[in-house]
Amino acid sequence: MSENQIFEDGAEEYDEWFSEHWFAYKSEVRALGTFIPKNRKGLEVGVGTGRFAVPLGIQIGVEPARAMADIARKRGITVYEAKAEELPFDNASFDFILMSTTICFLHNPMQALQESARVIKSGGNIIIGMIDSDSFLGKVYDLKKKNSKFYRYAHFYSVNPVLEWVRKLGYGHIRICQTIFKNPEKITAIEPVKDGYGSGCFVVISAQSLRL
Amino acid sequence: MKKELMDILACPMCKGDLELSIEAEDEKGEVVVGSLYCGKCDLQYPIDDGIPNLLPPELRQSSD
Protein backbone atom coordinates (compact mmCIF):
# COMPACT_ATOMS: atom_id res chain seq x y z
CA MET A 1 0.00 0.00 0.00
CA SER A 2 1.42 3.39 -0.96
CA GLU A 3 2.30 5.99 1.61
CA ASN A 4 -0.55 8.33 0.73
CA GLN A 5 -3.03 5.48 0.36
CA ILE A 6 -2.50 4.59 4.04
CA PHE A 7 -4.04 7.89 5.08
CA GLU A 8 -6.75 7.66 2.40
CA ASP A 9 -7.88 4.24 3.63
CA GLY A 10 -7.12 4.70 7.31
CA ALA A 11 -8.43 8.22 7.96
CA GLU A 12 -11.09 7.16 10.47
CA GLU A 13 -8.73 4.76 12.22
CA TYR A 14 -6.11 7.52 12.49
CA ASP A 15 -8.72 9.90 13.87
CA GLU A 16 -9.78 7.39 16.53
CA TRP A 17 -6.31 7.53 18.13
CA PHE A 18 -7.25 10.93 19.55
CA SER A 19 -10.42 9.59 21.18
CA GLU A 20 -8.60 6.54 22.51
CA HIS A 21 -5.73 8.63 23.94
CA TRP A 22 -7.83 11.56 25.10
CA PHE A 23 -5.50 12.89 27.83
CA ALA A 24 -2.40 12.63 25.65
CA TYR A 25 -4.29 14.45 22.89
CA LYS A 26 -5.52 17.16 25.28
CA SER A 27 -1.98 17.56 26.67
CA GLU A 28 -0.70 18.14 23.13
CA VAL A 29 -3.45 20.70 22.42
CA ARG A 30 -2.60 22.51 25.64
CA ALA A 31 1.14 22.63 24.83
CA LEU A 32 0.47 23.88 21.28
CA GLY A 33 -1.97 26.46 22.68
CA THR A 34 0.86 28.01 24.72
CA PHE A 35 2.32 29.50 21.52
CA ILE A 36 -0.75 29.96 19.28
CA PRO A 37 -1.36 33.72 18.88
CA LYS A 38 -4.91 34.85 19.75
CA ASN A 39 -7.19 36.38 17.10
CA ARG A 40 -4.69 35.96 14.28
CA LYS A 41 -5.05 34.38 10.86
CA GLY A 42 -3.50 30.94 11.02
CA LEU A 43 -2.94 27.99 8.71
CA GLU A 44 -2.37 24.41 9.75
CA VAL A 45 -0.11 22.51 7.36
CA GLY A 46 -0.91 18.79 7.59
CA VAL A 47 -4.28 19.53 9.17
CA GLY A 48 -5.26 15.84 9.09
CA THR A 49 -8.79 15.39 10.40
CA GLY A 50 -8.79 18.79 12.13
CA ARG A 51 -8.13 17.46 15.64
CA PHE A 52 -5.72 20.33 16.44
CA ALA A 53 -7.11 23.10 14.22
CA VAL A 54 -10.59 22.98 15.79
CA PRO A 55 -9.65 23.42 19.49
CA LEU A 56 -6.89 25.90 18.58
CA GLY A 57 -9.21 28.13 16.53
CA ILE A 58 -7.41 27.65 13.18
CA GLN A 59 -9.85 27.92 10.27
CA ILE A 60 -7.70 27.04 7.25
CA GLY A 61 -5.74 23.86 6.59
CA VAL A 62 -3.71 22.02 3.99
CA GLU A 63 -3.83 18.22 3.75
CA PRO A 64 -2.67 15.89 0.94
CA ALA A 65 -4.91 12.92 1.89
CA ARG A 66 -8.44 13.54 0.67
CA ALA A 67 -10.16 11.22 3.18
CA MET A 68 -8.53 13.10 6.07
CA ALA A 69 -9.41 16.47 4.47
CA ASP A 70 -13.07 15.40 4.16
CA ILE A 71 -13.27 14.79 7.93
CA ALA A 72 -11.59 18.16 8.68
CA ARG A 73 -14.05 19.91 6.37
CA LYS A 74 -16.98 18.31 8.20
CA ARG A 75 -15.47 19.79 11.38
CA GLY A 76 -15.74 23.27 9.84
CA ILE A 77 -12.19 23.75 8.55
CA THR A 78 -11.59 25.23 5.08
CA VAL A 79 -9.26 22.63 3.62
CA TYR A 80 -7.06 22.61 0.55
CA GLU A 81 -5.68 19.33 -0.76
CA ALA A 82 -2.04 20.31 -1.20
CA LYS A 83 1.52 19.46 -0.26
CA ALA A 84 3.46 21.16 2.53
CA GLU A 85 6.43 21.53 0.18
CA GLU A 86 4.31 23.37 -2.43
CA LEU A 87 1.80 25.57 -0.66
CA PRO A 88 -0.93 27.15 -2.81
CA PHE A 89 -0.80 30.60 -1.17
CA ASP A 90 0.65 34.04 -1.90
CA ASN A 91 3.68 35.29 0.02
CA ALA A 92 2.97 36.69 3.50
CA SER A 93 -0.64 35.44 3.69
CA PHE A 94 -0.79 34.23 7.31
CA ASP A 95 0.10 35.49 10.79
CA PHE A 96 1.14 32.01 11.85
CA ILE A 97 1.48 28.43 10.65
CA LEU A 98 1.03 25.31 12.74
CA MET A 99 2.61 21.97 11.83
CA SER A 100 1.65 19.38 14.41
CA THR A 101 3.05 15.85 14.04
CA THR A 102 3.56 16.73 10.38
CA ILE A 103 7.32 17.01 9.94
CA CYS A 104 7.79 13.26 10.54
CA PHE A 105 5.63 12.48 7.49
CA LEU A 106 7.25 14.91 5.04
CA HIS A 107 9.63 13.91 2.26
CA ASN A 108 11.42 17.23 2.45
CA PRO A 109 10.82 19.00 5.78
CA MET A 110 13.37 21.72 5.03
CA GLN A 111 11.53 22.66 1.82
CA ALA A 112 8.23 22.65 3.71
CA LEU A 113 9.65 24.98 6.36
CA GLN A 114 10.98 27.23 3.60
CA GLU A 115 7.52 27.33 1.98
CA SER A 116 6.04 28.19 5.38
CA ALA A 117 8.59 31.00 5.76
CA ARG A 118 7.43 32.39 2.41
CA VAL A 119 3.74 32.25 3.35
CA ILE A 120 4.09 33.68 6.90
CA LYS A 121 4.02 37.46 7.32
CA SER A 122 7.17 39.12 8.64
CA GLY A 123 6.99 38.98 12.42
CA GLY A 124 4.66 35.98 12.25
CA ASN A 125 5.32 32.61 13.83
CA ILE A 126 5.81 29.01 12.88
CA ILE A 127 4.69 26.57 15.57
CA ILE A 128 5.97 23.01 15.25
CA GLY A 129 4.60 20.15 17.36
CA MET A 130 6.64 16.95 17.22
CA ILE A 131 7.40 13.64 18.90
CA ASP A 132 11.02 13.98 20.06
CA SER A 133 12.93 10.96 18.70
CA ASP A 134 15.24 11.19 21.73
CA SER A 135 12.30 10.71 24.14
CA PHE A 136 11.21 7.24 25.28
CA LEU A 137 8.09 7.47 23.13
CA GLY A 138 10.15 8.50 20.10
CA LYS A 139 12.31 5.43 20.62
CA VAL A 140 9.29 3.14 21.07
CA TYR A 141 7.64 4.52 17.90
CA ASP A 142 10.86 4.09 15.97
CA LEU A 143 11.17 0.45 17.09
CA LYS A 144 7.52 -0.32 16.30
CA LYS A 145 7.61 1.54 12.98
CA LYS A 146 7.89 -1.54 10.77
CA ASN A 147 4.64 -2.94 12.16
CA SER A 148 2.74 0.32 12.35
CA LYS A 149 0.36 1.20 9.56
CA PHE A 150 0.75 4.96 9.96
CA TYR A 151 4.34 5.27 11.16
CA ARG A 152 5.92 2.82 8.70
CA TYR A 153 7.11 5.67 6.47
CA ALA A 154 7.54 8.26 9.24
CA HIS A 155 10.90 9.73 10.17
CA PHE A 156 11.07 11.00 13.72
CA TYR A 157 13.52 13.81 14.43
CA SER A 158 15.15 15.02 17.59
CA VAL A 159 14.76 18.69 18.50
CA ASN A 160 18.25 19.94 17.55
CA PRO A 161 18.11 19.35 13.77
CA VAL A 162 14.70 21.01 13.61
CA LEU A 163 16.09 24.01 15.51
CA GLU A 164 18.97 24.14 13.03
CA TRP A 165 16.54 24.21 10.10
CA VAL A 166 14.44 27.05 11.50
CA ARG A 167 17.55 29.10 12.35
CA LYS A 168 18.97 28.54 8.85
CA LEU A 169 15.72 29.84 7.38
CA GLY A 170 16.10 33.09 9.29
CA TYR A 171 13.62 32.48 12.11
CA GLY A 172 14.47 33.86 15.54
CA HIS A 173 12.93 34.40 19.01
CA ILE A 174 12.72 30.64 19.49
CA ARG A 175 10.61 29.33 22.37
CA ILE A 176 10.18 25.67 23.31
CA CYS A 177 7.85 23.74 25.59
CA GLN A 178 7.13 20.06 26.22
CA THR A 179 4.49 17.71 27.56
CA ILE A 180 3.63 13.98 27.96
CA PHE A 181 6.11 12.70 30.48
CA LYS A 182 4.53 9.23 30.84
CA ASN A 183 3.38 6.48 28.53
CA PRO A 184 0.32 7.88 26.66
CA GLU A 185 -1.40 4.49 27.08
CA LYS A 186 -1.37 4.99 30.85
CA ILE A 187 -2.10 8.71 31.27
CA THR A 188 -5.21 9.36 33.37
CA ALA A 189 -5.14 13.18 33.40
CA ILE A 190 -3.92 16.05 31.24
CA GLU A 191 -0.13 16.29 31.57
CA PRO A 192 1.62 19.52 32.58
CA VAL A 193 3.36 21.78 30.06
CA LYS A 194 6.97 22.65 30.96
CA ASP A 195 9.53 24.98 29.38
CA GLY A 196 12.30 23.58 27.22
CA TYR A 197 12.79 20.02 25.98
CA GLY A 198 14.60 16.85 27.01
CA SER A 199 12.06 15.13 29.26
CA GLY A 200 8.74 15.40 27.41
CA CYS A 201 7.76 13.17 24.48
CA PHE A 202 5.84 15.92 22.69
CA VAL A 203 7.79 19.09 22.03
CA VAL A 204 6.48 22.41 20.68
CA ILE A 205 8.82 24.88 19.00
CA SER A 206 7.70 28.43 18.22
CA ALA A 207 9.91 30.62 16.04
CA GLN A 208 9.32 34.08 14.66
CA SER A 209 9.86 35.02 11.01
CA LEU A 210 12.31 37.92 10.99
CA ARG A 211 12.21 38.69 7.26
CA LEU A 212 12.06 42.41 6.49
CA MET B 1 -14.41 26.72 -0.56
CA LYS B 2 -14.88 30.32 0.58
CA LYS B 3 -14.64 32.73 -2.36
CA GLU B 4 -13.01 35.44 -0.25
CA LEU B 5 -10.00 33.17 0.18
CA MET B 6 -9.22 33.61 -3.55
CA ASP B 7 -7.24 36.70 -2.47
CA ILE B 8 -4.51 34.59 -0.92
CA LEU B 9 -4.73 31.51 -3.16
CA ALA B 10 -1.89 30.89 -5.65
CA CYS B 11 -0.81 28.18 -8.06
CA PRO B 12 1.26 25.70 -6.00
CA MET B 13 3.74 25.37 -8.87
CA CYS B 14 4.46 28.95 -10.07
CA LYS B 15 2.71 30.89 -7.24
CA GLY B 16 0.83 32.89 -9.89
CA ASP B 17 -2.85 33.91 -9.76
CA LEU B 18 -5.62 31.38 -10.26
CA GLU B 19 -8.93 31.89 -12.08
CA LEU B 20 -12.02 30.50 -10.37
CA SER B 21 -14.83 28.78 -12.32
CA ILE B 22 -17.93 27.87 -10.33
CA GLU B 23 -20.23 24.99 -11.22
CA ALA B 24 -22.12 24.65 -7.94
CA GLU B 25 -22.40 26.65 -4.70
CA ASP B 26 -24.04 25.81 -1.39
CA GLU B 27 -26.54 27.93 0.56
CA LYS B 28 -23.67 29.85 2.25
CA GLY B 29 -22.24 30.87 -1.14
CA GLU B 30 -19.26 28.54 -0.80
CA VAL B 31 -17.98 26.82 -3.94
CA VAL B 32 -18.83 23.11 -3.87
CA VAL B 33 -17.91 22.13 -7.43
CA GLY B 34 -15.72 24.06 -9.86
CA SER B 35 -12.11 24.57 -10.80
CA LEU B 36 -9.09 26.83 -10.45
CA TYR B 37 -7.00 27.56 -13.53
CA CYS B 38 -3.41 28.74 -13.77
CA GLY B 39 -2.84 30.37 -17.18
CA LYS B 40 0.92 30.45 -16.77
CA CYS B 41 1.26 26.69 -16.12
CA ASP B 42 -1.86 25.86 -18.19
CA LEU B 43 -3.03 23.65 -15.32
CA GLN B 44 -6.54 23.13 -14.02
CA TYR B 45 -7.13 22.27 -10.37
CA PRO B 46 -10.53 20.68 -9.64
CA ILE B 47 -12.80 21.69 -6.73
CA ASP B 48 -14.82 18.69 -5.65
CA ASP B 49 -17.21 18.54 -2.69
CA GLY B 50 -15.90 21.90 -1.46
CA ILE B 51 -12.21 20.92 -1.41
CA PRO B 52 -9.86 22.32 -4.07
CA ASN B 53 -7.27 19.77 -5.18
CA LEU B 54 -4.06 21.77 -5.45
CA LEU B 55 -1.70 18.81 -5.43
CA PRO B 56 0.92 18.81 -8.19
CA PRO B 57 -0.56 16.94 -11.21
CA GLU B 58 1.61 13.83 -10.69
CA LEU B 59 0.21 13.33 -7.16
CA ARG B 60 -3.46 13.71 -7.99
CA GLN B 61 -5.82 10.81 -7.43
CA SER B 62 -7.92 9.73 -10.39
CA SER B 63 -10.68 12.21 -9.52
CA ASP B 64 -10.77 13.69 -13.03
Side-chain angles (χ1 to χ4, degrees), chain A residues 20-96:
Chain A
E20 288 164 5
H21 300 81
W22 189 252
F23 293 116
Y25 162 51
K26 284 291 172 191
S27 306
E28 291 177 355
V29 169
R30 191 195 221 179
L32 292 165
T34 312
F35 297 140
I36 298 285
K38 302 279 176 289
N39 304 316
R40 297 280 177 192
K41 187 176 178 184
L43 168 72
E44 184 174 359
V45 172
V47 71
T49 57
R51 285 286 197 169
F52 293 109
V54 171
L56 294 167
I58 298 171
Q59 292 171 13
I60 304 173
V62 158
E63 171 57 45
R66 175 63 195 233
M68 307 271 275
D70 281 332
I71 298 175
R73 183 166 182 258
K74 282 182 195 137
R75 291 186 168 138
I77 310 294
T78 296
V79 192
Y80 298 93
E81 213 178 333
K83 274 186 80 181
E85 290 92 341
E86 277 157 315
L87 293 176
F89 302 107
D90 289 331
N91 296 355
S93 294
F94 294 95
D95 295 309
F96 70 93

Side-chain angles (χ1 to χ4, degrees), chain B:
Chain B
M1 189 194 80
K2 291 186 173 78
K3 277 177 270 182
E4 59 267 31
L5 291 172
M6 281 305 295
D7 288 350
I8 56 165
L9 216 53
C11 171
M13 311 306 284
C14 73
K15 315 302 177 193
D17 289 342
L18 293 168
E19 270 173 52
L20 172 67
S21 301
I22 303 170
E23 284 174 41
E25 291 179 45
D26 66 11
E27 67 284 357
K28 290 181 277 181
E30 291 188 18
V31 184
V32 180
V33 182
S35 63
L36 295 156
Y37 177 69
C38 173
K40 202 171 156 191
C41 299
D42 191 24
L43 280 174
Q44 195 152 16
Y45 299 98
I47 304 169
D48 176 32
D49 207 7
I51 299 180
N53 184 339
L54 290 147
L55 288 168
E58 71 274 11
L59 288 181
R60 277 188 220 162
Q61 297 259 311
S62 52
S63 57
D64 14 78

Side-chain angles (χ1 to χ4, degrees), chain A residues 129-184:
Chain A
M130 56 183 279
I131 301 292
D132 181 355
S133 68
D134 282 345
S135 70
F136 72 87
L137 190 62
K139 286 173 185 158
V140 168
Y141 278 2
D142 218 41
L143 280 173
K144 287 187 177 171
K145 228 164 84 162
K146 272 185 279 177
N147 302 318
S148 158
K149 185 195 276 185
F150 298 110
Y151 288 138
R152 188 175 305 163
Y153 297 103
H155 183 115
F156 295 104
Y157 296 95
S158 59
V159 176
N160 285 336
V162 179
L163 288 177
E164 259 176 55
W165 293 334
V166 295
R167 285 195 186 109
K168 250 187 211 167
L169 289 167
Y171 290 96
H173 299 303
I174 293 171
R175 294 176 293 163
I176 307 174
C177 71
Q178 56 189 329
T179 189
I180 307 186
F181 302 91
K182 296 178 215 151
N183 185 341

